[in-house]
């Protein structure tokens, strides 16, 4: 007898129509996910910039007049007294 076979074109068309239906019905979800991705990307960028700036301030430490500071024995950088490691070479201070 005759067998009915679906060609690849028909199944592709069905999948395409299903995707269009989901996009039409769930557009707010897609937009929300895009907004979350954008916020996460720029939030991470801002956070990394903040950490780099904080690290740079530690490296470029300039003590005020009369302030006590340490000098790193490895790289001769001025370091705050309460620091445990040198911000430039990341070695432990004794």
């Amino acid at each position: 007898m005759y067998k009915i076979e679906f060609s690849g074109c028909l199944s592709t068309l069905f999948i395409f129509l299903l995707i269009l239906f989901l996009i039409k019905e769930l557009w707010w979800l897609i937009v929300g996910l895009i907004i979350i991705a954008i916020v996460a990307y720029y939030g991470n960028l801002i956070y990394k910039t903040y950490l780099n700036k904080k690290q740079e301030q530690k490296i470029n430490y300039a003590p005020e007049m009369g302030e006590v500071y340490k000098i790193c024995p490895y790289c001769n950088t001025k370091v705050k007294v309460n620091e445990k490691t040198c911000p430039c070479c990341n070695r432990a201070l004794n």
Side-chain angles (χ1 to χ4, degrees), residues 32-56:
L33 290 175
I34 291 171
I35 289 172
I36 289 172
I38 290 170
V39 168
Y41 174 76
Y42 284 110
N44 191 20
L45 223 83
I46 292 169
Y47 181 68
K48 284 182 180 180
T49 304
Y50 170 74
L51 288 181
N52 288 341
K53 187 174 181 182
K54 194 172 181 181
Q55 182 68 17
E56 188 177 312

Side-chain angles (χ1 to χ4, degrees), residues 55 58 70 72 79-80 82-93:
Q55 182 68 17
K58 281 185 178 180
K70 294 182 194 178
C72 177
V79 182
K80 288 186 178 181
N82 57 356
E83 294 288 332
K84 303 288 186 213
T85 60
C86 176
C88 289
C89 62
N90 291 324
R91 292 185 178 180
L93 300 171

Side-chain angles (χ1 to χ4, degrees), residues 56-63 67-69 78-80:
E56 188 177 312
Q57 285 177 349
K58 281 185 178 180
I59 290 172
N60 297 330
Y61 171 68
E67 186 178 356
V68 181
Y69 59 90
K78 295 177 184 176
V79 182
K80 288 186 178 181

